[in-house]
Amino acid sequence: MCEDTKLYALSVDPQYVELAADVFAMLSDATRIRIVLALSEREMSVGELAEAVGKSPTAVSQHLAKLRWGKVVHARQAGTRVFYSLIDEHAGELVTQAVYQAEHAVDSLPAHHRGVGRAAL
């Protein structure tokens, strides 16, 4: 089993528990969740993300700044454009699992158990 997929015991270092709570707080915004889901598919520019999540580029930029501060996304400059991607797969997996949990709260047979693809962002 891969080391970073092992389940932690309750004896995990308290600093990591606090930082995990900070991650959940940072991701507790629907737009940021949509951004992470979009970036789990591929690298995107601010304009592409704005279109994908249905928000203005200015609003998306503000959310991306918070996600960069939280070390969730990385920016890459290509000429005059900036492209964003997830730093690693963990944020995408965390958000996907949260969406799956939400599906369970709404439906007795959630879409991910029926083999239905992810709904629109």
Side-chain angles (χ1 to χ4, degrees), residues 40-64:
S40 67
E41 300 290 324
R42 65 181 176 92
E43 177 182 74
M44 300 174 89
S45 69
V46 172
E48 292 170 319
L49 282 166
E51 186 174 321
V53 303
K55 298 290 181 180
S56 72
T58 302
V60 168
S61 291
Q62 291 172 350
H63 287 289
L64 285 166

Side-chain angles (χ1 to χ4, degrees), residues 8-90:
Y8 278 101
L10 289 176
S11 63
V12 68
D13 187 326
Q15 75 173 346
Y16 296 127
V17 173
E18 296 300 322
L19 289 171
D22 291 344
V23 169
F24 281 117
M26 181 184 42
L27 292 174
S28 68
D29 179 274
T31 299
R32 283 185 224 131
I33 289 172
R34 287 181 177 102
I35 288 170
V36 170
L37 288 171
L39 291 177
S40 67
E41 300 290 324
R42 65 181 176 92
E43 177 182 74
M44 300 174 89
S45 69
V46 172
E48 292 170 319
L49 282 166
E51 186 174 321
V53 303
K55 298 290 181 180
S56 72
T58 302
V60 168
S61 291
Q62 291 172 350
H63 287 289
L64 285 166
K66 290 177 183 173
L67 291 169
R68 283 181 72 184
W69 178 83
K71 299 190 179 0
V72 172
V73 300
H74 167 77
R76 177 182 67 83
Q77 182 107 21
T80 60
R81 294 183 62 179
V82 178
F83 292 91
Y84 290 87
S85 60
L86 296 178
I87 288 177
D88 57 46
E89 74 282 1
H90 298 297

